[in-house]
Amino acid sequence: METRRHAFVALIVAVLIGAAVLAGVPRVSAASIVASMIATTIAVATPLILGALSGVLCERAGVVNLGIEGMMLTAAFFGWASASYASTVWGLPPSISLLLGVAGAIISGGLLGLVHAALSVTFRVDQIIGGTVINLLAVGLTGFLNRQLFFGSGSSSGVSYASPGVLPRVHLPGLADLPVVGRVFEQQPITLAAIALVVVTHIALFRTRWGLRVRAVGEHPQAAATVGIDVRRMRYQSVILGGCVAGLGGAYFTLESVPSFEPLMTNGRGFIALAAMIFGNWTPTGALAAALLFGSAQALQINLQMFREQLSGAWSFLQHSSIVGLLPYLLTLLILTGVIGRTTPPAADGKPYDG
Amino acid sequence: MLDPACLFGGRGIVNESRRWMHHLGRPLLVPLLSVFTALVAGAGVIAIAGGDPVAAYAGLAEGAFGSTRALSETAVWTTPYLLAGLGIAFAFQGGLFNIGAEGQLALGAVAAAWAGYGLPLLLGAALPAVVHVPLTLVAGASAGALWAAIPGWLKARTGGHEVINTIMLNYIALNAVSYLLNGPLKDPAPGNVIARTPMIAEGARMGVLLEGFRVHWGFPLALALSVLLVWVLRSTTLGFTIRTAGASPDAARCAGMNVPRAVVLSMAISGGLVGLGGAIEVSALNHRHELGFSQGYGFDAIAVALLGRAHPMGVALSALLFGAMRNGATRMQYLTQIPADVISVIQALILLFVAAEVLIRRLYRLRDTTAPVALSQGWGS
């Protein structure tokens, strides 16, 4: 089953890269298109990887996290707001401001994780509704604060904050110097951190005592409780940690991708991350593979934008960015409905613990 | 005079409303306290933002109910909330969580717009309003129903979870609508750069209720539908099957009910109601479909359905509340300079407190008489 799934991922990624090559090849060399597609895929997969890891952490402990989207949106706002504030009001240099921004994003994500944990563990709210609450709260709160703080509200004019820019690319010596493929390895810090976190989360969940406890709580909380594991405490820990990881994913939008905040800018990436987690069968490595798959669909969209005037005849409808724009979502829908066979969530996933 | 109960086989609307009146106090208590708590918390937000909460709420109330025009506008705002909320509530009754209302609304509106301007062109003649208006509404409702039936069918067929599938279908629908409005269905009028359809024919336009005001026939239609839904859910075989399949699929299967069919049907009816909401916006209000008309009705409607406890009458009350808040927000902003966005924060807080019923019960030291409502059980169900 796992082999089939990985073969499927490789096939789709190859098809998508092939499509990008077909669209651009007379003008740009195939090798450089492939390198650019891979580099873009890894970059745009970053919030998907982190969002999916957030989901893995929460759901392995038995808490469904539908609020990833809201956590990322909120963190994108607070990350950007704190970085801009630090650089404009405190006059800190860009590097330190950006670091404070990342910290702000992680903390705001963690706080929403706390809200979700309180709702689902303490108040035993239906977890899917709890996540929806977080998403709606995030839209309202970020829209309100964005206008209130940065655009003013009638009487008080907003302060004009200058953004400290985006996190710089890290030049990995050796790998990044390679011809053509070098750019694949020249990525920004959050992207590199996301890939490192896949490894860290895998080890933490499957090779440590803490991970064993998290999984026990998600599979059979009653049994875990009888051997002395504090179910509520473990769930709180995992969900807050998951919130922090989603917060780092949110930082990607305003501190790594573009140096500004737009309302609703996460645009469903949190839900695709959730789908990546399901597709990856609730494992960090599976989530990474799925995130790269969806990332390549998005990379294709970005690539086709550049070559859109070359699309003609039967392909001319692809000139509309919205047609390519729906591709990642359509792919998610198709993939999750049978192409890969059934996935198995943790046994106690989504069920409040009463003991 | 004929007792209306006879029309509906004895167990009809009258008995239902009597039962509802009898229990009015208890089911309303927690939602009312949730709204109250959210308003208090919202007052805190307004105060922190440097505004005067009392003036803000006074402005809100004046804008929502202060004049005939205000009342008319509140009804206009309430209509899409009510229809989308009824749709989501109907899915809840069938044990399904329809997060796809935003996409169903947009598709319903596009289909209605097409039926409104395209049908006369296709037939080469103008249609009389008595035919054309219903056709426009049916087109919108069918589009919503078909779109929502997809996740229903997927759930019944492959077990794919409707939550994730309706979310994906939202983005697919919104992108597809954006393509249609920028491409094949774009208004060809010279100089038009906006992504919108042509104006619908005169015959496809639903009339206003009150001369000089915007309130239209869609409002009483939506209210009538919520009464009809109470009857469908309580007193018809269809309603009983859908509720049983929602409460316990296993029990329904054992009783010989066709559970997959019930799942597809409840999603289709849910999407049909939402799509009708989109169609009414086109037929009665905008007379065309333009990109981004919805302003998040589909997502707010989740809160409307939950606040109304998925009961059609409860949904009607909460839709009225949401419509009034949205409508009053503009007046509040005008009078007090407090941004209208604060209303979406308050709406989210209402949903938060409605969801966290246990929190409200503890806060007001109410006795735990009922277990919290469970509408979903993770990915497994």
Side-chain angles (χ1 to χ4, degrees):
Chain A
M1 200 65 220
E2 285 307 304
T3 339
R4 198 178 127 191
R5 196 176 306 220
H6 287 130
F8 180 77
V9 170
L11 178 75
I12 299 277
V13 171
V15 167
L16 293 173
I17 292 180
V21 170
L22 275 180
V25 86
R27 210 181 295 174
V28 189
S29 85
S32 115
I33 294 176
V34 172
S36 137
M37 272 292 284
I38 295 175
T40 315
T41 298
I42 295 172
V44 298
T46 304
L48 306 179
I49 298 171
L50 289 166
L53 280 182
S54 163
V56 169
L57 282 167
C58 297
E59 303 208 358
R60 278 288 176 171
V63 178
V64 167
N65 188 2
L66 208 73
I68 298 171
E69 175 86 2
M71 292 176 178
M72 295 212 295
L73 183 64
T74 309
F77 175 78
F78 279 104
W80 178 71
S82 36
S84 312
Y85 191 84
S87 87
T88 317
V89 179
W90 292 341
L92 295 172
S95 54
I96 297 177
S97 302
L98 285 168
L99 275 181
L100 283 176
V102 172
I106 293 175
I107 291 168
S108 58
L111 284 175
L112 276 187
L114 178 66
V115 171
H116 190 46
L119 284 176
S120 47
V121 180
T122 304
F123 298 117
R124 301 201 305 280
V125 169
D126 182 303
Q127 293 170 7
I128 288 183
I129 290 172
T132 308
V133 166
I134 287 179
N135 291 333
L136 290 175
L137 199 63
V139 172
L141 206 64
T142 54
F144 172 65
L145 288 177
N146 184 43
R147 192 167 311 203
Q148 190 74 6
L149 293 177
F150 301 106
F151 289 96
S153 54
S155 53
S156 65
S157 63
V159 191
S160 60
Y161 287 95
S163 157
V166 293
L167 292 160
R169 286 180 186 279
V170 178
H171 189 88
L172 294 172
L175 287 173
D177 294 326
L178 294 169
V180 188
V181 294
R183 58 195 295 189
V184 172
F185 298 98
E186 216 176 339
Q187 298 284 358
Q188 286 158 290
I190 298 177
T191 303
L192 297 174
I195 292 165
L197 271 176
V198 171
V199 180
V200 172
T201 313
H202 179 84
I203 293 171
L205 275 179
F206 298 107
R207 295 280 183 277
T208 67
R209 208 164 68 146
W210 179 81
L212 187 64
R213 288 182 171 180
V214 168
R215 287 183 292 135
V217 161
E219 291 292 342
H220 202 320
Q222 284 78 13
T226 33
V227 297
I229 300 172
D230 187 339
V231 175
R232 288 158 200 272
R233 193 190 156 91
M234 290 310 294
R235 287 194 168 175
Y236 261 93
Q237 274 182 14
S238 312
V239 176
I240 292 172
L241 206 59
C244 291
V245 173
L248 184 61
Y252 164 86
F253 293 93
T254 47
L255 301 175
E256 193 165 284
S257 175
V258 289
S260 64
F261 178 81
E262 299 282 333
L264 306 176
M265 73 187 301
T266 43
N267 197 19
R269 245 70 68 83
F271 296 115
I272 294 198
L274 198 70
M277 174 207 71
I278 299 175
F279 177 71
N281 217 354
W282 287 266
T283 64
T285 47
L288 172 70
L292 290 175
L293 171 65
F294 298 129
S296 61
Q298 229 177 301
L300 174 66
Q301 185 195 353
I302 295 168
N303 247 283
L304 285 186
Q305 283 290 70
M306 282 189 285
F307 304 121
R308 63 198 274 178
E309 63 279 4
Q310 259 173 258
L311 300 160
S312 57
W315 299 102
S316 59
F317 73 98
L318 285 176
Q319 284 176 358
H320 283 279
S321 61
S322 6
I323 288 292
V324 191
L326 62 76
L327 211 75
Y329 306 106
L330 188 64
L331 208 58
T332 306
L333 190 76
L334 292 177
I335 285 170
L336 288 181
T337 49
V339 185
I340 44 153
R342 288 191 89 87
T343 52
T344 32
D349 201 8
K351 300 187 174 60
Y353 173 68
D354 294 314
Chain B
M1 193 179 145
L2 179 70
D3 185 348
C6 304
L7 287 172
F8 301 104
R11 292 175 300 150
I13 314 175
V14 171
N15 276 350
E16 174 57 33
S17 61
R18 239 179 240 147
R19 201 189 61 84
W20 181 251
M21 293 301 275
H22 183 68
H23 295 289
L24 200 61
R26 209 178 296 166
L28 277 181
L29 186 60
V30 172
L32 278 178
L33 285 173
S34 306
V35 171
F36 173 72
T37 315
L39 287 176
V40 170
V45 174
I46 293 170
I48 291 169
D52 174 5
V54 177
Y57 286 148
L60 192 68
E62 192 196 315
F65 307 111
S67 62
T68 316
R69 183 160 307 278
L71 286 171
S72 151
E73 289 301 303
T74 293
V76 166
W77 279 90
T78 300
T79 309
Y81 276 135
L82 179 48
L83 285 165
L86 284 176
I88 294 170
F90 195 86
F92 272 139
Q93 295 275 359
L96 297 156
F97 197 172
N98 176 11
I99 310 194
E102 194 70 13
Q104 292 147 19
L105 261 175
L107 282 178
V110 165
W114 183 83
Y117 82 82
L119 272 184
L121 296 178
L122 205 67
L123 301 171
L127 291 161
V130 70
V131 182
H132 205 174
V133 171
L135 265 181
T136 308
L137 299 186
V138 166
S142 317
L146 285 175
W147 197 246
I150 299 172
W153 182 80
L154 288 173
K155 168 130 189 166
R157 189 67 195 267
T158 69
H161 204 281
E162 80 279 5
V163 163
I164 202 92
N165 285 339
T166 50
I167 291 170
M168 291 306 135
L169 285 167
N170 263 344
Y171 290 102
I172 295 173
L174 294 177
N175 274 294
V177 167
S178 157
Y179 164 71
L180 290 173
L181 293 186
N182 281 301
L185 300 187
K186 185 172 180 172
D187 185 1
N192 174 41
V193 289
I194 302 169
R196 60 185 188 195
T197 67
M199 296 293 265
I200 60 173
E202 289 290 339
R205 298 180 188 180
M206 190 187 263
V208 292
L209 265 179
L210 206 58
E211 206 51 53
F213 295 96
R214 292 207 307 163
V215 60
H216 50 75
W217 281 99
F219 180 62
L221 179 66
L223 287 178
L225 271 174
S226 48
V227 176
L228 180 73
L229 279 180
V230 174
W231 172 73
V232 169
L233 282 166
R234 290 288 153 184
S235 313
T236 64
T237 318
L238 174 76
F240 183 67
T241 312
I242 283 173
R243 282 189 301 126
T244 312
S248 170
D250 290 332
R253 203 169 296 119
C254 292
M257 295 173 181
N258 188 341
V259 175
R261 185 171 157 270
V263 167
V264 177
L265 262 180
S266 46
M267 277 309 280
I269 294 174
S270 166
L273 287 162
V274 180
L276 179 64
I280 287 179
E281 290 295 284
V282 167
S283 170
L285 216 56
N286 305 328
H287 302 315
R288 62 162 29 130
H289 182 50
E290 193 168 314
L291 212 54
F293 89 106
S294 142
Q295 316 175 35
Y297 284 127
F299 294 113
D300 291 345
I302 298 171
V304 171
L306 286 172
L307 179 60
R309 296 293 188 86
H311 189 289
M313 290 298 126
V315 173
L317 286 175
S318 59
L320 189 64
L321 176 74
F322 271 56
M325 280 171 64
R326 282 284 170 202
N327 175 34
T330 327
R331 182 86 187 143
M332 178 192 80
Q333 181 166 345
Y334 173 74
L335 287 176
T336 63
Q337 272 77 50
I338 295 160
D341 301 81
V342 78
I343 295 304
S344 46
V345 177
I346 295 175
Q347 286 178 344
L349 287 171
I350 292 178
L351 182 57
L352 179 78
F353 293 125
V354 171
E357 195 184 315
V358 182
L359 177 73
I360 291 292
R361 287 186 183 281
R362 276 190 206 170
L363 210 58
Y364 296 96
R365 306 195 191 288
L366 299 176
R367 260 181 303 151
D368 253 315
T369 45
T370 48
V373 204
L375 291 160
S376 62
Q377 283 288 313
W379 302 121
S381 64

